[in-house]
């Protein structure tokens, strides 16, 4: 009977258990954990097929009640291998017993202490669960709920159950989605969206929201599935209408958001612009519960994160930017709260609300200057971000840094609000000691604060940034290496000689070579950019080449000989052109026949960009007004450079042609 499943633990459980084992069941409610364990052990024995179906069903109900207790209860049950026992129970022909086992499994998998991978240890389990979906509305509800909780992406969740046996299937990260998808989850669950049972519809919807998240394969499939002649996106749109329960509106908006982000639905589709986006903005209003406002804002932030037009539409929908300011007002002042439960509730959600607001502001301000201005002009916004940077919650700190990073893309704000609030101070503090995910965003923000027009550049330099950034370039984390070298590149742009020398000293020649041989092209390009910025203005070029010339020429040779793309080689030839512009530094090129031959080779290269960069080197070496130009011209003529220049002066490329003619004039002058 269904009521067996729905009812709480009742005295009938005890009356059905034989007298000889009654004292074991009594121990389930004992305070001594050892006794509880003995009770649980008995319940395992009661899984025997020799027991009656009614007794086994009651045992599953008792276990489910236990699992609803503390996390320690669940841990004890897991230690006793409850999951394999319950999964075995699903093979029974008795439907009531199957439903009781599924309900208990559902309760156990909902617990944060249960590793999701336990569902995937045996390849046959998922197939069997799919087959059980057709048995009853209870099997549908519980199985969908189990799938929702056991389908995690790696960055959503990581649990530390290292002693557990490894699953047969590789079920880390997105593979949970793939396993369920390959077992026909979409086809088996789709028709449940039109079930007569609200609970079944809701759990099926939740299942799809998890399956589709960041998964193009699932999303592209969902777009084309129809139930009773209606496509799934149309069903989802119906489910987010205002007359539907809030959890249904929110979850269907999440499904459509995932499908849109995966490219299965266009960002300008009416179901996104006119339905999903307005629904999510509604979820951010004061009328909604705090947890709904959190989920609404986070989903909206994800929906609009990469699309400028959606950011603009959201920013002018229902005064969203002002509405979000309210997220920072929890908990309300204590005097206004007489209800202690309410205060506890507000405190619990206050962190989540601030995190969600920062995330949404970051997405809103990602591209548009006017939106950034509106965000910054919202009451106390910069103070809120600065406070967010030092919050105890890592998630709030990360969201605050993301928000700051988004706003730091504005030239205007870098010059005004960022300076007025000395944002660089808390940012430098965050960079001193933070987990990598925060460091990556904080160092990206620092790159922007170090641009030449930013007034924060000077104080950041004075606060020991060079040392910090040089240490980032040694990180094993690629994004941190890129950001470290990028920030140094920005710092070196039009900088005074002392700063440039400090950067070179901080990096060390050894580290510079390490970066120039980095396997990532971004690191290499930013390092070359740094070198190019260091080697600008003659006195600086001569000074740096007098102390580091030998090593820099080695590095240049190394790259020009290596297997690198056109952009890398072009950047390297531009560095040579800068060196050739030095007064004394150019001799390092003239006395290096190997490098001269390489420049000659690139003058005749098939790529015009490389030819042009090589010509800049030659022009700087032969420029007439400089001392020693005659000797340099003669040496280069003997190498056949003039012949190449004559050829290039006939080029169909106007840039090459002009540059070659200008160079030849130096010979004629």
């Amino acid at each position: 009977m269904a009521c067996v499943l729905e009812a709480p633990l009742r005295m009938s459980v005890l009356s059905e258990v034989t007298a000889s084992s009654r004292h074991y069941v009594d121990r389930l409610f004992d305070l001594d954990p050892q006794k509880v364990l003995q009770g649980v052990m008995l319940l395992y024995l009661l899984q025997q097929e020799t027991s009656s179906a009614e007794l086994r069903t009651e045992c599953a109900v008792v276990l489910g009640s236990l699992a609803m207790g503390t996390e320690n209860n669940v841990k004890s049950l897991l230690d006793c291998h409850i999951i394999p026992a319950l999964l075995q129970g699903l093979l029974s022909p008795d439907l009531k017993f199957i439903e009781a086992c599924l309900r208990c499994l559902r309760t156990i998998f909902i617990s944060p202490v249960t590793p999701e991978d336990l569902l995937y240890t045996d390849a046959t389990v998922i197939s069997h669960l799919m087959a059980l979906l057709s048995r009853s509305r209870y099997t549908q509800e519980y199985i969908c709920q189990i799938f929702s909780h056991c389908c995690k992406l790696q960055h959503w969740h990581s649990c530390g159950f290292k002693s557990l046996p490894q699953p047969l299937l590789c079920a880390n990260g997105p593979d949970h989605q793939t396993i369920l998808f390959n077992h026909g989850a979409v086809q088996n669950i789709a028709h449940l969206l039109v079930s007569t049972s609200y609970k079944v519809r809701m759990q099926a919807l939740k299942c799809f929201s998890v399956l589709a998240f960041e998964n193009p394969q699932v999303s592209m499939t969902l777009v084309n599935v129809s139930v009773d002649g209606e496509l799934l996106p149309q069903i989802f749109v119906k489910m987010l209408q205002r007359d539907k329960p809030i959890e249904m509106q929110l979850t269907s908006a999440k499904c459509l958001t995932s499908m849109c982000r995966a490219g299965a639905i266009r960002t300008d589709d009416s179901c996104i612009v006119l339905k999903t986006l307005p629904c999510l903005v509604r979820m951010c209003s004061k009328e909604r519960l705090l947890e709904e406002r959190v989920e609404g804002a986070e989903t909206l932030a994800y929906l609009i994160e990469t699309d400028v037009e959606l950011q603009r539409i959201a920013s002018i929908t229902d005064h969203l930017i002002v509405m979000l300011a309210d997220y920072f007002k929890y908990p309300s002042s204590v005097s206004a709260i007489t209800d202690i439960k309410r205060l506890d509730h507000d405190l619990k959600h206050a962190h989540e609300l601030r995190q969600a607001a920062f995330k949404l502001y970051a997405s809103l301000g990602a591209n548009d200057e006017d939106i950034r201005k509106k965000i910054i002009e919202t009451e106390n916004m910069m103070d809120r971000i600065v406070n967010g940077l030092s919050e105890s919650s890592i998630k709030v700190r990360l969201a605050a840094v993301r928000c700051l990073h988004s706003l730091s893309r504005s030239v205007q704000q870098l010059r005004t609000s960022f300076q007025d609030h000395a944002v660089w101070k808390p940012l430098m503090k965050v960079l001193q000691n933070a987990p990598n995910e925060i460091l990556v965003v904080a160092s990206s923000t620092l790159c922007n604060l170090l641009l030449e027009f930013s007034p924060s550049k000077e104080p950041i330099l004075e606060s020991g940034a060079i040392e910090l950034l040089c240490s980032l370039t040694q990180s094993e984390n690629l994004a941190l290496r890129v950001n470290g070298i990028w920030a140094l590149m920005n710092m070196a742009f039009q900088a005074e000689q002392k700063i440039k020398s400090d950067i070179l000293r901080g990096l060390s020649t050894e580290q510079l070579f390490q970066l120039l041989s980095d396997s990532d092209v971004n690191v290499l390009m930013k390092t070359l950019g740094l070198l190019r910025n260091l080697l600008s203005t003659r006195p600086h070029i001569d000074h740096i080449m007098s102390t580091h010339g030998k090593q820099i020429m080695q590095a240049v040779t190394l790259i020009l000989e290596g297997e690198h793309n056109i952009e890398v080689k072009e950047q390297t030839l531009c560095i040579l052109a800068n060196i050739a512009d030095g007064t004394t530094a150019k001799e390092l090129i003239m006395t290096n026949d190997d490098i001269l031959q390489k420049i000659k080779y690139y003058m005749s290269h098939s790529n015009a960009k490389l030819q042009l960069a090589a010509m800049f080197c030659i022009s700087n070496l032969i420029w007439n007004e400089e001392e020693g130009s005659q000797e340099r011209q003669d040496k280069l003529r003997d190498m056949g450079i003039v012949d190449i220049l004559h050829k290039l002066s006939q080029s169909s490329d106007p840039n090459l042609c002009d540059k070659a003619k200008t160079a030849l004039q130096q010979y004629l002058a």
Side-chain angles (χ1 to χ4, degrees):
M1 264 169 32
C3 62
V4 173
L5 299 181
E6 296 299 343
L9 184 63
R10 303 164 324 206
M11 290 311 292
S12 67
V13 175
L14 303 186
S15 61
E16 282 208 41
V17 177
T18 56
S20 62
S21 58
R22 174 162 181 156
H23 69 286
Y24 281 111
V25 178
D26 287 341
R27 289 179 177 185
L28 282 171
F29 309 99
D30 201 295
L31 293 176
D32 181 347
Q34 279 310 109
K35 288 182 182 173
V36 174
L37 207 57
Q38 286 174 13
V40 174
M41 293 308 289
L42 169 71
L43 289 174
Y44 277 112
L45 296 173
L46 297 179
Q47 298 298 309
Q48 301 308 308
E49 289 181 18
T50 49
S51 306
S52 71
E54 290 76 17
L55 180 57
R56 295 169 77 199
T57 302
E58 287 289 6
C59 288
V61 173
V62 174
L63 286 167
S65 297
L66 257 186
M68 284 178 183
T70 64
E71 288 184 0
N72 280 338
N73 279 12
V74 178
K75 282 180 187 168
S76 298
L77 291 169
L78 288 171
D79 289 342
C80 297
H81 306 293
I82 186 170
I83 289 178
L86 290 169
L87 291 174
Q88 191 64 35
L90 299 181
L91 299 172
S92 161
D94 187 281
L95 180 58
K96 291 290 160 265
F97 180 47
I98 289 172
E99 289 173 346
C101 288
L102 283 171
R103 188 166 187 235
C104 186
L105 278 166
R106 181 271 316 264
T107 306
I108 286 167
F109 276 118
I110 283 176
S111 169
V113 300
T114 309
E116 299 84 19
D117 285 351
L118 290 180
L119 187 68
Y120 303 91
T121 47
D122 180 342
T124 62
V125 168
I126 305 296
S127 310
H128 189 60
L129 287 171
M130 292 293 176
L132 289 174
L133 274 170
S134 59
R135 295 293 299 274
S136 74
R137 74 181 181 89
Y138 292 112
T139 64
Q140 291 167 349
E141 179 191 336
Y142 304 147
I143 290 170
C144 284
Q145 216 171 346
I146 289 168
F147 286 161
S148 301
H149 282 277
C150 295
C151 183
K152 291 282 193 265
L153 282 151
Q154 220 157 7
H155 62 267
W156 267 15
H157 183 92
S158 64
C159 50
F161 287 80
K162 292 210 170 91
S163 57
L164 287 163
Q166 282 303 304
L168 303 179
L169 293 163
C170 170
N172 248 344
D175 280 350
H176 288 172
Q177 292 172 323
T178 308
I179 293 163
L180 292 173
F181 178 80
N182 290 344
H183 279 84
V186 173
Q187 294 73 13
N188 282 302
I189 296 170
H191 70 280
L192 303 182
L193 290 169
V194 294
S195 164
T196 52
S197 158
Y198 171 76
K199 283 184 176 178
V200 172
R201 290 201 304 280
M202 200 54 236
Q203 292 308 332
L205 190 58
K206 283 183 177 172
C207 206
F208 280 136
S209 80
V210 176
L211 276 173
F213 184 68
E214 290 192 353
N215 194 311
Q217 185 187 28
V218 174
S219 296
M220 293 294 187
T221 306
L222 288 179
V223 164
N224 299 311
V225 171
S226 63
V227 179
D228 294 349
E230 202 167 20
L231 287 168
L232 283 196
Q234 295 168 318
I235 294 174
F236 292 150
V237 166
K238 278 186 177 173
M239 288 175 147
L240 53 73
Q241 287 170 353
R242 288 169 187 258
D243 61 340
K244 296 289 186 286
I246 295 298
E247 69 163 346
M248 183 171 271
Q249 291 185 45
L250 250 175
T251 313
S252 45
K254 283 169 94 169
C255 290
L256 289 160
T257 294
S258 290
M259 290 162 77
C260 178
R261 283 300 305 267
I265 300 176
R266 288 168 52 112
T267 54
D268 59 358
D269 190 299
S270 63
C271 78
I272 298 297
V273 178
L274 302 179
K275 301 289 182 184
T276 310
L277 187 148
C279 168
L280 290 169
V281 173
R282 280 202 307 277
M283 296 302 147
C284 298
S285 73
K286 265 185 176 177
E287 286 71 55
R288 301 272 50 89
L289 296 173
L290 300 188
E291 40 272 70
E292 291 162 359
R293 297 175 79 184
V294 168
E295 207 171 339
E298 294 212 334
T299 308
L300 183 56
Y302 180 54
L303 174 66
I304 68 173
E305 188 180 15
T306 56
D307 190 88
V308 191
E309 198 45 44
L310 288 180
Q311 289 157 11
R312 288 186 183 135
I313 295 166
S315 73
I316 55 167
T317 304
D318 293 353
H319 309 289
L320 177 64
I321 291 174
V322 177
M323 199 197 297
L324 282 178
D326 189 67
Y327 278 46
F328 295 95
K329 294 174 183 172
Y330 293 88
S332 319
S333 60
V334 179
S335 58
I337 295 184
T338 48
D339 182 353
I340 199 74
K341 272 189 179 171
R342 160 93 190 280
L343 176 63
D344 189 49
H345 178 263
D346 283 12
L347 279 167
K348 195 175 133 199
H349 289 288
H351 288 307
E352 292 173 5
L353 282 161
R354 289 197 291 279
Q355 179 193 344
F358 282 138
K359 276 186 185 174
L360 185 43
Y361 277 136
S363 286
L364 283 163
N367 295 287
D368 189 288
E369 193 63 34
D370 291 338
I371 298 175
R372 289 187 196 119
K373 190 168 181 290
K374 278 186 197 164
I375 292 170
I376 284 172
E377 285 169 358
T378 307
E379 52 175 319
N380 309 325
M381 192 61 209
M382 291 308 285
D383 291 333
R384 281 174 177 152
I385 294 174
V386 167
N387 292 338
L389 293 176
S390 55
E391 282 219 21
S392 57
S393 159
I394 283 188
K395 287 180 176 177
V396 177
R397 281 210 307 278
L398 177 58
V401 174
R402 281 210 174 116
C403 184
L404 189 66
H405 179 239
S406 184
L407 300 174
S408 74
R409 294 180 179 139
S410 160
V411 175
Q412 181 59 33
Q413 301 309 332
L414 283 174
R415 286 186 171 144
T416 53
S417 308
F418 275 53
Q419 189 56 15
D420 299 343
H421 291 81
V423 166
W424 64 270
K425 282 184 186 170
L427 186 68
M428 286 297 287
K429 201 173 168 190
V430 166
L431 280 159
Q432 303 302 328
N433 184 19
N436 276 1
E437 57 180 342
I438 290 182
L439 274 181
V440 169
V441 191
S443 54
S444 284
T445 312
L446 194 64
C447 287
N448 293 343
L449 293 182
L450 286 168
L451 290 164
E452 82 279 5
F453 51 74
S454 165
S456 309
K457 187 172 180 176
E458 286 304 313
I460 289 172
L461 277 167
E462 287 159 17
S463 71
I466 292 178
E467 190 184 340
L468 173 82
L469 295 169
C470 288
S471 70
L472 286 185
T473 68
Q474 296 176 27
S475 170
E476 285 182 15
N477 181 297
L478 173 59
L480 288 179
R481 286 205 304 285
V482 171
N483 288 348
I485 202 73
W486 195 338
L488 289 170
M489 182 184 89
N490 287 352
M491 194 183 273
F493 183 74
Q494 295 181 349
E496 56 194 63
Q497 191 172 302
K498 183 190 177 301
I499 292 170
K500 292 181 177 182
S501 298
D502 287 348
I503 290 172
L504 272 171
R505 201 175 304 115
L507 261 187
S508 82
T509 316
E510 191 185 342
Q511 178 58 10
L512 195 61
F513 271 100
Q514 196 72 42
L515 291 164
L516 288 170
S517 54
D518 199 286
S519 58
D520 184 80
V521 73
N522 268 330
V523 174
L524 180 52
M525 282 296 282
K526 294 288 178 280
T527 310
L528 292 170
L530 168 64
L531 269 178
R532 198 172 164 183
N533 286 349
L534 291 171
L535 295 165
S536 61
T537 72
R538 278 185 186 168
H540 295 181
I541 295 167
D542 290 334
H543 175 76
I544 288 170
M545 292 308 286
S546 69
T547 54
H548 293 80
K550 189 182 166 195
Q551 295 93 328
I552 289 172
M553 294 305 284
Q554 268 181 310
V556 166
T557 309
L558 198 76
I559 290 168
L560 290 177
E561 284 176 353
E563 291 290 318
H564 294 290
N565 66 29
I566 300 295
E567 284 71 24
V568 167
K569 300 227 166 166
E570 182 191 14
Q571 189 80 289
T572 309
L573 287 166
C574 289
I575 290 168
L576 270 182
N578 284 12
I579 296 168
D581 193 38
T583 307
T584 55
K586 54 168 56 84
E587 285 312 306
L588 285 161
I589 296 177
M590 290 307 300
T591 54
N592 188 329
D593 288 342
D594 185 21
I595 284 284
L596 287 173
Q597 287 298 334
K598 284 182 170 53
I599 295 171
K600 179 184 174 184
Y601 164 76
Y602 284 108
M603 283 178 77
S604 304
H605 197 276
S606 57
N607 185 284
K609 281 183 177 179
L610 296 183
Q611 287 179 284
L612 205 56
M615 298 249 288
F616 273 111
C617 299
I618 295 298
S619 295
N620 286 344
L621 290 172
I622 62 175
W623 206 253
N624 257 329
E625 295 152 19
E626 290 164 15
E627 200 183 325
S629 61
Q630 192 58 55
E631 293 86 343
R632 290 193 293 276
Q633 285 183 7
D634 293 345
K635 180 168 183 176
L636 293 171
R637 180 189 277 114
D638 294 344
M639 280 178 61
I641 295 293
V642 176
D643 299 338
I644 299 173
L645 287 173
H646 276 297
K647 221 184 266 180
L648 289 171
S649 67
Q650 308 299 314
S651 169
S652 58
D653 184 311
N655 286 335
L656 282 176
C657 179
D658 291 350
K659 198 72 190 160
K661 284 176 180 171
T662 309
L664 284 169
Q665 281 168 358
Q666 297 304 308
Y667 274 95
L668 300 171

